[in-house]
Amino acid sequence: SASMPHEDGIDHTISLMREGYLYILNRRRSFNCDVFETRLLGMKAICMGGKEAAEIFYDPEKFQREGAAPHRLVETLFGKKGIQTLDGEHHRRRKEMFMALMSPTNIKELADLVKEEWISAAKKWEQMNEVIFYEEVQKILSTAACRWAGVTVPEDEIKNLPNDLEALFESPAALGPDHWKGRNARNRVEKWVGELINQVRDGKETPPENTALHRFSWFREFDGTLLDTETAAVEVINILRPIVAISIFLNFTLLSLHHYPEEKEKLKVQDDKYAKMFVQEVRRYYPFFPFVSAKVRKGFVWNDFTFEEGTLTYLDLYGTNHDPKIWENPDVFNPERFADWEGSPFGFIPQGGGDYLLGHRCAGEWLTIEVMKVSLDLLVNRMNYEIPDQDLSYSMVSIPSIPHSKIIIKNIKLLD
Ligand code: HEM
C-alpha cells in the first residue's frame, strides 16, 4: 500500500497552536489529500477530515476511545471514567442513559426554562447601562441547566457555578494558570455534585424522575451495581457543563444577526423551518469544537493507506464543516444551504458524527438546536437592543473562540 503524506520534523504542536482551527484543513489542501501523518504532543498522529474520513472514524470496528483522550482533557473537560472514554456495550448502555433524557417533551422543558430565565434576566438588563452578553447568557444557562437536571445548587456555590462550568470548557486547550483553574473548578463541582448523589441515594433528596440527577443516581451497570459516586458526578456534569457551553453558539448567533441584518429581517417573517436552517448555519460556520480523537483499534487499510493499530487519530470537525467537496462556498454564511440539505451523519459534524447510540456523537445535539432556536426567537422577536462599537473580531486560533468583547449590548427593551 501507499504511504500517507506526512509532515517532516520532530513535532508540529507549535504549528497546531499557531494555526488552530485551520491546522488540519491547511495541510489537507497542501497535500491534496484528506489524510496525513504528523507528530503532535510528542506522538505519531494521523489527521483527517471530510465525509469519508468521518465515516471510517465513526466505525467502532476501526477506532476506539479507550486511552485516546489526552490527559489534560480528561482532567478538565471530560472527567475521569465518563462516557467519552468508554467503548462497545458499556458505552452503549451509558449512552442510553443520556439519550433517555432527550425526548421532545424533556427538551421542550429546558427550552421553556431558558426562556423564563432569559425574560427575567432581561427585565434587569432594561435597567442597566450595558451588559456583557456572553456572561449574562452563561448565568441564564447555568440556572436553567441545574433546574432541568434536578440539581439544587448549594447556597455558597450559586455565584461561582457559571464561572466554574465555563472554566471546564475554556481551559482544556489552555496552558499554565488557566488550565489549573479548570482542574480546580472540576474538583470543586465534582465534590458537591457527588454529595448530592449520595443524598439522593440516602433518600434525603428526591429530584423528579425524568431528571439527570435522578436517572444517573439510580442507573445500573450490567452487573446491577450503581455507578460509583465520582463517575455519577462526572456524568451529571456532562449535562451541566455543555448546556452552559451553548453560550458560545449563542454569542455567534448574536454576532451573525449583527453581521447579516438582512437575515434578521427574514427571520422576523419566516417560519420555524427557516429558524432551524439559520441555527444549523451558525453551527456549521463558526469555530467551536475543533476536532475529536480516537485510537486505531485494529490495523486496517483505507484508500490504500495503512492505519497501524494504536495510532492516535484526529478527525477535523471544523474542516469537515468547511470542506469545499461537501459545501458550496463554505466560507460564506448562508442559511439557505440547509433548505435542501441531504442530512448525512458524516458531512455536517459540529457536534461529532455517526450514530448517537452506536458511537460518540454528541448526546446534546437536539437539545442544543432547540435552545439556540428559542434564544434566536428572543433576540429577533422579543427584544430590542443596540450593539455599540467594540472589538467583535474572533480568533481562529484560541479554542474555544468567542468575539473578543464577549459582545456588549445596551438600550435593551423587552417587547410585548
Ligand atoms: C459529545 C460537541 C452540547 C452532551 C460531544 C462531542 C462533541 C460535542 C464534538 C464528541 C463527539 C465525539 O467524540 O465523536 C458539542 C457542542 C455543543 C454540545 C459543540 C454545544 C454547546 C452538548 C449538550 C449536552 C452534550 C447541550 C448535554 C446536555 C454530550 C455528551 C457527549 C458529547 C454526553 C459524549 C457522547 C459520547 O461519548 O457518546 N459533544 N456538544 N453536549 N456531548 Fe456535546
Side-chain angles (χ1 to χ4, degrees):
S1 66
S3 72
M4 230 174 249
H6 71 276
E7 282 199 284
D8 294 326
I10 298 166
D11 197 85
H12 298 278
T13 311
I14 297 287
S15 317
L16 173 62
M17 288 169 69
R18 207 159 42 213
E19 294 171 58
Y21 287 96
L22 297 172
Y23 170 78
I24 297 178
L25 202 54
N26 287 343
R27 279 154 193 75
R28 278 170 64 205
R29 282 189 186 133
S30 57
F31 289 126
N32 191 24
C33 186
D34 284 341
V35 38
F36 62 90
E37 195 187 300
T38 184
R39 292 188 66 83
L40 295 172
L41 302 166
M43 264 188 289
K44 173 178 156 179
I46 292 174
C47 295
M48 56 190 194
K51 201 181 202 161
E52 288 161 28
E55 213 164 328
I56 61 162
F57 184 87
Y58 282 104
D59 178 348
E61 298 289 307
K62 295 191 169 67
F63 288 94
Q64 67 176 46
R65 298 304 173 101
E66 200 198 327
H71 182 65
R72 55 190 310 104
L73 235 61
V74 173
E75 294 291 349
T76 54
L77 187 67
F78 292 167
K80 290 191 196 88
K81 295 193 280 182
I83 183 164
Q84 294 93 339
T85 63
L86 302 179
D87 295 297
E89 57 177 7
H90 289 283
H91 170 263
R92 164 128 194 184
R93 190 174 173 91
R94 193 79 65 87
K95 195 65 170 278
E96 279 166 357
M97 172 185 93
F98 277 93
M99 297 315 287
L101 295 169
M102 305 299 168
S103 69
T105 331
N106 233 25
I107 289 179
K108 168 104 178 20
E109 212 168 278
L110 177 67
D112 289 344
L113 287 170
V114 169
K115 186 169 174 178
E116 187 186 314
E117 294 293 336
W118 186 302
I119 288 173
S120 102
K123 286 181 183 146
K124 293 184 198 124
W125 302 344
E126 283 182 323
Q127 314 304 319
M128 291 161 72
N129 254 344
E130 54 178 42
V131 305
I132 300 171
F133 184 70
Y134 185 57
E135 290 173 1
E136 290 298 313
V137 158
Q138 281 182 348
K139 287 186 230 161
I140 292 171
L141 292 171
S142 167
T143 311
C146 289
R147 287 178 68 188
W148 187 69
V151 167
T152 329
V153 186
E155 205 57 50
D156 54 343
E157 293 292 339
I158 291 176
K159 238 179 107 102
N160 247 333
L161 188 60
N163 294 332
D164 274 354
L165 295 173
E166 174 192 19
L168 297 184
F169 61 82
E170 284 198 347
S171 59
L175 302 168
D178 279 349
H179 177 71
W180 287 98
K181 196 172 139 198
R183 286 174 83 140
N184 290 333
R186 173 159 288 283
N187 291 339
R188 206 159 39 232
V189 181
E190 271 183 18
K191 185 161 180 289
W192 67 257
V193 173
E195 281 162 12
L196 208 52
I197 286 159
N198 289 335
Q199 286 168 8
V200 173
R201 290 174 175 172
D202 292 344
K204 292 183 192 130
E205 181 84 26
T206 47
E209 293 210 347
N210 61 344
T211 59
L213 183 60
H214 173 89
R215 283 178 185 272
F216 296 7
S217 296
W218 297 116
F219 169 82
R220 289 185 188 274
E221 301 274 30
F222 284 112
D223 63 3
T225 55
L226 297 170
L227 293 174
D228 62 78
T229 310
E230 193 194 343
T231 307
V234 161
E235 301 299 39
V236 169
I237 296 166
N238 262 334
I239 292 289
L240 304 181
R241 179 203 69 245
I243 292 177
V244 175
I246 301 173
S247 56
I248 295 194
F249 275 150
L250 295 185
N251 245 43
F252 284 131
T253 302
L254 178 56
L255 187 70
S256 62
L257 291 172
H258 178 64
H259 281 160
Y260 310 103
E262 68 287 358
E263 288 294 337
K264 192 170 175 183
E265 293 311 309
K266 254 186 174 166
L267 284 161
K268 281 185 181 159
V269 295
Q270 296 266 15
D271 55 5
D272 195 61
K273 180 167 186 235
Y274 197 75
K276 169 116 185 245
M277 287 156 58
F278 187 91
V279 160
Q280 296 294 54
E281 182 66 348
V282 170
R283 294 197 311 131
R284 184 196 71 83
Y285 182 80
Y286 292 100
F288 188 171
F289 214 111
F291 31 72
V292 283
S293 61
K295 250 182 173 169
V296 178
R297 176 190 167 92
K298 234 172 62 201
F300 66 94
V301 175
W302 175 69
N303 279 359
D304 232 20
F305 298 132
T306 303
F307 287 68
E308 273 170 33
E309 180 172 330
T311 314
L312 192 59
T313 304
Y314 293 91
L315 174 70
D316 189 7
L317 303 184
Y318 178 84
T320 303
N321 295 335
H322 288 257
D323 187 336
K325 280 186 279 189
I326 307 174
W327 307 99
E328 207 180 306
N329 300 322
D331 298 325
V332 172
F333 184 87
N334 175 23
E336 289 291 346
R337 68 172 79 249
F338 282 98
D340 50 7
W341 175 57
E342 31 97 34
S344 150
F346 301 109
F348 175 49
I349 52 173
Q351 299 181 218
D355 184 78
Y356 292 98
L357 284 179
L358 297 179
H360 288 269
R361 188 183 192 115
C362 176
E365 190 165 23
W366 307 323
L367 193 105
T368 303
I369 293 172
E370 290 310 312
V371 168
M372 288 175 76
K373 272 170 58 187
V374 78
S375 307
L376 183 65
D377 180 56
L378 286 156
L379 286 169
V380 170
N381 297 312
R382 303 301 172 91
M383 58 190 268
N384 285 342
Y385 57 85
E386 284 164 29
I387 300 189
D389 271 349
Q390 57 192 292
D391 182 3
L392 291 170
S393 68
Y394 57 91
S395 160
M396 288 302 289
V397 177
S398 22
I399 296 172
S401 175
I402 51 162
H404 290 121
S405 63
K406 303 185 175 180
I407 314 196
I408 295 159
I409 56 175
K410 55 188 254 191
N411 290 338
I412 294 145
K413 179 127 191 41
L414 271 171
L415 304 174
D416 65 48

